[in-house]
Amino acid sequence: TDDVVVTTCDDYTLWNRLGYGMEKAATYSDEERLNPLRSLLLESGERRPEDLAGLSFADLRTMLLERNSLDVNHIKRVNQAEAEFWKRSEGYRIGYSDEILQFDCGGQQWVLEMAVGAGTLERPSYADVDYVRELLEEIEFREIP
């Protein structure tokens, strides 16, 4: 998908200057947030709603990926469902960095973390955006799930 999840850990004093409160919970309930993943799992008819009760985002995502992890179209649909989950999870909270940056990211994953110089706030170079665009083009060209 063309969706991006942004998690930041900002200085608390900056949040105060910007006028934010202590927390803004997600607008959707847990059930509503997980619905895109559950719906995709139920499409095949292999599972019943009661089979998925109580499962976390990570559990549901893992089950979806295990179904057909090398099928590009299937992975695109899983990614769309995941993007919708994260959109429905939008909010903010204030806490210690080890609490904020640890979240249920979806089971086992291969992760490539990059640090890219991107200029300054006053003079951004957008090198980070250019890098991600090039990477995405390569992934799509090679049909990597």
Side-chain angles (χ1 to χ4, degrees):
T1 71
D2 291 334
D3 296 295
V4 176
V5 174
V6 177
T7 302
T8 64
C9 188
D10 296 321
D11 183 353
Y12 175 71
T13 56
L14 174 64
W15 282 83
N16 276 341
R17 285 195 308 267
L18 295 174
Y20 291 104
M22 293 297 284
E23 184 167 330
K24 177 187 175 245
T27 306
Y28 295 89
S29 69
D30 287 346
E31 188 75 23
E32 292 168 319
R33 291 170 49 227
L34 294 169
N35 192 48
L37 297 149
R38 286 189 179 133
S39 296
L40 194 52
L41 273 166
L42 293 171
E43 274 183 11
S44 68
E46 298 170 13
R47 307 260 183 203
R48 300 174 312 210
E50 53 269 21
D51 298 333
L52 308 178
L55 295 180
S56 70
F57 163 73
D59 296 331
L60 297 169
R61 184 177 185 273
T62 297
M63 290 171 71
L64 283 164
L65 292 175
E66 287 175 345
R67 281 172 82 193
N68 201 350
S69 61
L70 298 178
D71 181 330
V72 173
N73 291 322
H74 174 68
I75 297 304
K76 285 180 179 179
R77 294 189 70 212
V78 173
N79 288 344
Q80 288 169 343
E82 180 177 353
E84 185 60 30
F85 166 82
W86 287 113
K87 286 177 187 173
R88 294 176 182 198
S89 300
E90 181 181 16
Y92 57 83
R93 63 190 168 111
I94 294 176
Y96 292 104
S97 61
D98 64 329
E99 297 169 350
I100 302 297
L101 295 178
Q102 292 181 13
F103 54 92
D104 192 5
C105 62
Q108 295 181 354
Q109 300 180 38
W110 287 359
V111 176
L112 174 61
E113 294 183 2
M114 302 290 297
V116 179
T120 65
L121 287 173
E122 295 80 25
R123 298 184 70 185
S125 69
Y126 300 104
D128 53 341
V129 175
D130 293 339
Y131 172 78
V132 171
R133 283 186 178 146
E134 289 176 31
L135 180 61
L136 182 59
E137 286 175 11
E138 191 68 24
I139 289 169
E140 290 174 344
F141 175 74
R142 296 179 184 271
E143 295 186 329
I144 298 171

